Amino acid sequence: MTNLSDSGDDEAKGVRKTSFGITGMTCVTCSDTVQRSLADLQGVEEASVNLATERATIVFDPGKVTVGQMRESVERAGYGITGNEITISVGGMSCASCAQSVERALLSLEGVNEASVNLATEKVRILYDPGLASVAQMKKAITSAGYKVLETETVDAERMERERIMGRQKRMLAFSLVFSIPTFVLSMLFEFTSLGDTAFIDAYGIFLLFLLATPVQLIAGSQFYVGTYRALRNRTANMDTLIATGTSAAYIYSLTVTFFPGAVAFPNVYYDTSALIISLILLGKYLEARAKGRTSEAIKKLVGLQAKTAVVVRDGKELEIPVDDLEVDDVFLVRAGEKIATDGLVIEGQSSVDESMITGESIPVEKGKGDEVVGATINQNGAIRVRATRVGRNTALAKIIGLVEEAQGTKAPIQRVADRVAAYFVPSVILIAILSFVIWYFAGYDAFVIEEPRFVFSLTIFITVLVIACPCALGLATPTAIMVGTGKGAEHGILIKSGEGLEIAGKIDTVIFDKTGTITRGEPQVTDVVSYAIEQDDLIGVTSAVEKGSGHILGEAVLRHAAEMGVDVPDATDFLNIPGKGVIANVHGSTIMLGNRRLMEEKGVPLDQVEETVGRLEGEGKTTMIVSRDGRAVGVLGVADVVREGSIETVAELKRMGIDTIMITGDNRKTARAISDAVGIKEVLAEVFPQDKAGEISKLQAEGHLVAMVGDGINDAPALAQADIGIAIGSGTDVAVEAGDIVLIRDDIRDVVAAIQLSRKTMTKIKQNLFWAFAYNSGGIPIAAGVLYPFFGILLSPIIAAAAMAMSSVSVVSNAALLRRYTPEIQMKRKERRLKEMTKDPVCGMDVDESAAQWKSEYKGKTYYFCAHGCQVKFDEDPKRYLK
């Protein structure tokens, strides 16, 4: 498990980062308008606005610009800012100076956007970014300023605003349908039945339609007029402009017919057209909002994992407190079945912990004294006491949430194409609509036999072009897929830091692996034990006795091997360490030497008997340790940094995907070749100094390769940064994790393949979305303009165009949401293989696969198989979890 620590880059530059929700955006033109309004502010170094998440992420210099000024700029553009709010009652304030002290203390915290003290009520209202500032930090800032925190009231204003907007859309939709459906039905009756021939209808029918359609146009459709006003004020045009113009044309023409029938030549009314268009668009926007909510489920799940309370031990007493009040070094109790409150070290007790919500790995991990535990994971059995090491925004889960949110807020390079198109799209559509009207009115109408009046026919085409050309699908095509893709990655233990990283990972053609700690485990292990005239256990015993006092990394490998073999280690005396050669000690009255060839030659130990074994092991790239007793060679130990589980499978899978693999290391060529041959990598860059690794990557990039670097150490950081994609193994150092574009939380090298597969799948969805969005507009607009009418007599109704436009956005978002069902192929294979291996009941040893099960049961969507003894195994998730 990695410690996802903060990067100090922003602080070093004197800039800060914040994010907040944006309200009122309806299409990609709106998001671009908001982004420009922020980017144009002096002091804002970078601004990114994501339409799908409806969030703005800003990097700014707090000495030059404040969040208040950003709010004013966004509001001037016609939109709003929202975020998390908390109200804290503060004790000890007595004057305006006290209020200013509290405000200054809070505003000094990164992530606190606004702080406003009401001295009369002794409360402070704080607007903050929960990804950057925690409630605990705010409380501490107030107490550090010399005041008391009395009570808090947290409000998720952003969530409430989203729910308010969705509720309003639902009410407006219902309101609109109540009037538009009768309008449509009556229009059809008047048009196609004898009812329309009555004197009553002639006198009052049109006026009745006016009464029904007007509330839809002016109340339900008011948001489109507001959006159009905002756009015009910013000297641009957006989706609202198209809808408002199209429906207004139909409504105003009908209004003229109703009240000034002599002013127009053709007494047709189109109240049903304008009313139904608005209703259908509102339906599409409501369905789109619901679908967008599903695409962000990964973040909601992650946030929902956090524990709410913790049982701390203070002054010998157990107290239940909110998790936000936990501090570093607090000791808290975790009982069986409870969530671990925050990251920490086990100081007492033993248990198994389900870490699947963090790593995606379903098998529980055994934890005991001295082991690290992660907040939000579940303690399965046995009570443990934990000392908190990280709290609030510094926990692993908080870092994961922050990285996923940041990635979801970024734009992939492929989105720039859509953004460039969208910038000119709406003005172009308005121009096309006007040209279509003019061409049909002055030329097309006379060229073909058309029964409808000239003006009415041309007006219908004008309205249809405007209505069908909504750019929403274009704006949502990329960000919705990125939201789901990065969220899905987090569920599977793969943290993708940006949309750019997600896109490039799928294009990689070369993967370079660091050897130590990446391809291999990163610690030497005893791989071979060859004994002569001595029992193997005795050989391990005496060598372990000698190495007990050495502290050498090779000695630690020998001691670990002895522990794994269950060998008793005797005591040693007269210990002597000879640097660079080996160690000597007395064990049971015999002189034991353990070292390399030079030590044995210096001490006159004949090596004829072991020469062949030493040569063979050295040829395999292993470090050899010769053991002598009383001047006679009695054994040889082979020590090597063994290949990490999954390395062979990873290399084979990358080759199958058409990706070249290279291993890079500072080790000698013989050792490197032995490891590369073992895992199937043909190309090796050996004896490369850490500072030269980035240079080797540059050479490959100069040849036109897209390179991913996989590493885990400090010396890998420059190479990770140089590569087109840096993939950091989660067990590695914080420096490597910060330098990487992708972080593998699970410490499983196979997730390199999973990350690339996820990237390719996500990019497939993005390309599908963009294709259909472009195809929809490029195909729909000409049809709406009447290009098929001369040949096939096909002309779209404005109502059909509205329905198609509304569904285009819903289809794009829904297609992206299908990614939630995806699991990378290599992870599916691993899961299937594990289930096949677990064919015996862990309690009684009987077969418990489906064919041999005595009976099975369905419970809460899970399938359980039972053997004859009543033992059960949950096969769909983890065969080791069972109940008797």
Side-chain angles (χ1 to χ4, degrees):
M1 175 56 61
T2 181
N3 171 18
L4 300 170
S5 62
D6 286 324
S7 171
D9 291 347
D10 287 348
E11 288 80 353
K13 297 175 186 176
V15 299
R16 289 168 64 174
K17 179 185 288 185
T18 192
S19 66
F20 37 72
I22 302 292
T23 61
M25 295 191 299
T26 58
C27 66
V28 66
T29 307
C30 298
S31 61
D32 285 345
T33 300
V34 175
Q35 186 167 305
R36 284 198 306 271
S37 73
L38 290 167
D40 289 344
L41 289 173
Q42 186 178 5
V44 172
E45 296 198 358
E46 184 181 337
S48 176
V49 178
N50 189 306
L51 177 62
T53 59
E54 296 178 311
R55 286 189 71 79
T57 302
I58 303 99
V59 177
F60 68 102
D61 183 345
K64 296 179 180 178
V65 66
T66 66
V67 175
Q69 290 171 314
M70 296 179 206
R71 176 189 289 276
E72 291 174 4
S73 178
V74 171
E75 288 175 347
R76 279 197 303 271
Y79 304 89
I81 285 179
T82 185
N84 278 44
E85 287 183 17
I86 184 172
T87 301
I88 302 178
S89 295
V90 181
M93 294 189 298
S94 58
C95 62
S97 178
C98 296
Q100 290 176 358
S101 297
V102 171
E103 288 178 357
R104 280 197 302 270
L106 290 167
L107 290 171
S108 67
L109 297 175
E110 184 176 14
V112 172
N113 298 330
E114 290 183 13
S116 176
V117 172
N118 186 320
L119 193 58
T121 60
E122 295 186 311
K123 290 183 177 181
V124 56
R125 174 186 163 275
I126 306 159
L127 182 70
Y128 70 102
D129 178 357
L132 297 173
S134 68
V135 176
Q137 287 176 307
M138 289 184 267
K139 289 180 179 179
K140 189 172 182 180
I142 292 171
T143 54
S144 297
Y147 303 92
K148 293 181 180 179
V149 174
L150 302 179
E151 61 180 31
T152 61
E153 180 184 346
T154 303
V155 177
D156 189 344
E158 188 172 346
R159 178 182 59 80
M160 291 177 64
E161 179 66 14
R162 286 175 186 269
E163 291 176 354
R164 187 190 69 78
I165 291 173
M166 187 177 291
R168 182 177 181 276
Q169 290 285 26
K170 189 175 181 180
R171 290 191 299 273
M172 282 293 109
L173 173 61
F175 175 84
S176 178
L177 290 173
V178 165
F179 290 96
S180 60
I181 290 175
T183 304
F184 176 74
V185 172
L186 286 174
S187 295
M188 294 301 100
L189 289 174
F190 297 164
E191 181 75 21
F192 298 109
T193 70
S194 58
L195 184 64
D197 298 330
T198 65
F200 175 83
I201 295 302
D202 287 340
Y204 301 104
I206 293 178
F207 189 71
L208 178 60
L209 293 177
F210 160 74
L211 291 177
L212 288 170
T214 298
V216 179
Q217 189 73 35
L218 301 183
I219 299 176
S222 61
Q223 59 185 286
F224 303 118
Y225 291 109
V226 172
T228 300
Y229 169 71
R230 289 173 180 163
L232 293 176
R233 197 171 65 179
N234 290 294
R235 294 191 291 269
T236 185
N238 59 14
M239 181 203 81
D240 294 327
T241 310
L242 298 179
I243 304 307
T245 305
T247 59
S248 295
Y251 179 77
I252 292 170
Y253 180 82
S254 301
L255 201 66
T256 305
V257 171
T258 303
F259 293 99
F260 308 100
V264 292
F266 311 106
N268 304 68
V269 292
Y270 296 93
Y271 288 122
D272 59 329
T273 299
S274 62
L276 270 183
I277 286 174
I278 289 173
S279 294
L280 287 169
I281 290 168
L282 289 177
L283 173 62
K285 289 175 74 67
Y286 175 67
L287 294 176
E288 176 191 314
R290 288 187 60 186
K292 281 163 66 177
R294 289 197 298 271
T295 63
S296 60
E297 278 186 2
I299 285 290
K300 295 175 185 175
K301 286 180 181 177
L302 289 171
V303 173
L305 292 174
Q306 295 170 316
K308 302 297 186 291
T309 61
V311 178
V312 296
V313 181
R314 290 178 179 169
D315 300 325
K317 296 180 180 179
E318 295 178 5
L319 302 173
E320 187 170 357
I321 64 171
V323 167
D324 288 338
D325 291 342
L326 271 176
E327 296 183 359
V328 173
D329 291 330
D330 271 344
V331 174
F332 59 94
L333 177 67
V334 189
R335 302 181 181 89
E338 292 182 344
K339 287 183 179 180
I340 295 171
T342 193
D343 300 356
L345 284 174
V346 177
I347 60 173
E348 185 181 323
Q350 192 161 354
S351 182
S352 57
V353 176
D354 177 1
E355 295 185 338
S356 60
M357 64 281 298
I358 299 292
T359 65
E361 183 58 64
S362 59
I363 296 177
V365 181
E366 296 298 320
K367 300 289 184 180
K369 186 175 181 180
D371 289 332
E372 285 191 17
V373 291
V374 181
T377 56
I378 299 173
N379 179 29
Q380 289 199 316
N381 49 55
I384 54 175
R385 287 178 185 258
V386 179
R387 180 173 59 80
T389 55
R390 291 185 293 271
V391 297
R393 57 177 284 200
N394 295 317
T395 65
L397 180 62
K399 294 297 177 189
I400 291 172
I401 293 172
L403 285 175
V404 175
E405 284 183 330
E406 187 170 344
Q408 291 184 345
T410 60
K411 293 184 178 181
I414 196 171
Q415 189 175 346
R416 294 171 193 154
V417 177
D419 289 348
R420 283 197 296 269
V421 171
Y424 302 99
F425 185 81
V426 175
S428 300
V429 168
I430 294 174
L431 180 61
I432 291 170
I434 294 171
L435 287 174
S436 299
F437 176 90
V438 171
I439 290 170
W440 278 105
Y441 187 86
F442 290 103
Y445 187 85
D446 294 326
F448 304 98
V449 180
I450 300 173
E451 295 181 0
E452 285 188 75
R454 181 190 302 266
F455 181 81
V456 171
F457 183 85
S458 303
L459 179 65
T460 300
I461 288 178
F462 173 79
I463 295 169
T464 306
V465 170
L466 290 177
V467 169
I468 203 170
C470 170
C472 282
L474 201 60
L476 293 169
T478 300
T480 49
I482 288 175
M483 283 176 66
V484 182
T486 52
K488 197 66 185 176
E491 289 179 21
H492 290 278
I494 303 166
L495 288 186
I496 302 167
K497 291 186 177 181
S498 67
E500 184 176 10
L502 182 65
E503 178 177 341
I504 295 175
K507 301 176 181 178
I508 290 299
D509 58 43
T510 305
V511 176
I512 299 181
F513 292 97
D514 176 54
K515 180 183 80 71
T516 306
T518 304
I519 290 288
T520 65
R521 292 184 182 177
E523 59 179 20
Q525 291 188 325
V526 175
T527 58
D528 298 83
V529 180
V530 182
S531 59
Y532 304 92
I534 185 174
E535 292 294 329
Q536 197 170 90
D537 283 0
D538 291 339
L539 180 66
I540 294 296
V542 296
T543 53
S544 299
V546 174
E547 288 287 11
K548 267 200 300 189
S550 71
H552 193 276
I553 189 171
L554 297 179
E556 292 174 0
V558 174
L559 291 169
R560 280 196 303 270
H561 188 70
E564 291 169 3
M565 299 293 293
V567 174
D568 293 330
V569 179
D571 293 327
T573 59
D574 303 328
F575 175 82
L576 177 63
N577 182 19
I578 305 175
K581 298 177 182 177
V583 290
I584 304 173
N586 189 288
V587 182
H588 294 320
S590 297
T591 300
I592 304 297
M593 287 194 296
L594 176 64
N596 55 26
R597 188 191 299 268
R598 284 188 297 164
L599 176 63
M600 299 302 157
E601 289 173 350
E602 280 184 11
K603 301 299 180 182
V605 177
L607 299 178
D608 297 344
Q609 188 176 12
V610 301
E611 191 66 56
E612 182 180 348
T613 301
V614 171
R616 175 177 61 81
L617 295 177
E618 287 178 344
E620 294 173 359
K622 297 175 182 177
T623 300
T624 57
M625 302 168 69
I626 304 169
V627 185
S628 74
R629 181 171 63 184
D630 295 330
R632 179 188 175 192
V634 294
V636 178
L637 303 182
V639 180
D641 185 3
V642 298
V643 170
R644 181 193 289 267
E645 180 186 3
S647 293
I648 297 173
E649 183 182 356
T650 298
V651 172
E653 192 67 19
L654 288 172
K655 286 182 179 178
R656 187 189 67 79
M657 294 165 65
I659 298 174
D660 294 331
T661 54
I662 300 172
M663 190 179 79
I664 192 167
T665 179
D667 279 352
N668 64 74
R669 191 163 297 278
K670 181 184 287 187
T671 301
R673 177 52 65 187
I675 295 295
S676 67
D677 287 346
V679 298
I681 294 177
K682 292 183 179 179
E683 188 172 352
V684 178
L685 301 174
E687 300 175 9
V688 179
F689 292 110
Q691 63 269 26
D692 296 330
K693 288 182 179 180
E696 294 292 341
I697 292 174
S698 295
K699 292 177 185 177
L700 289 166
Q701 290 170 326
E703 294 172 5
H705 293 286
L706 273 175
V707 182
M709 171 69 192
V710 186
D712 76 322
I714 290 175
N715 60 2
D716 297 324
L720 289 168
Q722 174 63 42
D724 297 286
I725 286 292
I727 303 178
I729 298 290
S731 61
T733 65
D734 293 341
V735 176
V737 168
E738 288 298 335
D741 301 289
I742 297 175
V743 181
L744 308 182
I745 293 293
R746 191 160 34 196
D747 192 19
D748 189 330
I749 194 171
R750 285 170 290 205
D751 285 345
V752 171
V753 178
I756 295 172
Q757 290 174 342
L758 178 63
S759 169
R760 290 183 174 183
K761 187 69 173 180
T762 305
M763 288 309 300
T764 298
K765 287 293 180 186
I766 290 175
K767 289 173 182 176
Q768 288 173 354
N769 284 349
L770 286 173
F771 171 80
W772 287 114
F774 279 118
Y776 166 82
N777 284 306
S778 58
I781 292 174
I783 294 172
V787 295
L788 297 182
Y789 188 83
F791 309 102
F792 307 103
I794 295 174
L795 188 68
L796 281 182
S797 157
I799 295 172
I800 300 296
M805 187 222 75
M807 290 304 104
S808 67
S809 297
V810 176
S811 63
V812 163
V813 177
S814 300
N815 185 46
L818 291 175
L819 264 176
R820 292 188 295 121
R821 301 178 183 178
Y822 176 70
T823 298
E825 296 169 32
I826 195 166
Q827 293 187 344
M828 285 294 292
K829 290 178 182 178
R830 182 173 57 190
K831 185 174 182 180
E832 290 168 3
R833 185 167 56 248
R834 182 180 296 140
L835 293 179
K836 288 178 182 178
E837 291 170 354
M838 298 297 297
T839 58
K840 299 291 183 181
D841 190 287
V843 177
C844 64
M846 290 187 66
D847 286 338
V848 288
D849 60 13
E850 186 168 5
S851 60
Q854 298 295 316
W855 50 283
K856 67 178 184 178
S857 174
E858 297 284 342
Y859 178 67
K860 290 186 177 180
K862 305 294 185 182
T863 303
Y864 295 82
Y865 296 98
F866 295 77
C867 75
H869 292 174
C871 309
Q872 76 178 27
V873 178
K874 185 166 63 177
F875 261 72
D876 64 338
E877 184 173 342
D878 179 11
K880 287 187 176 179
R881 299 179 189 170
Y882 57 86
L883 301 171
K884 287 201 69 176

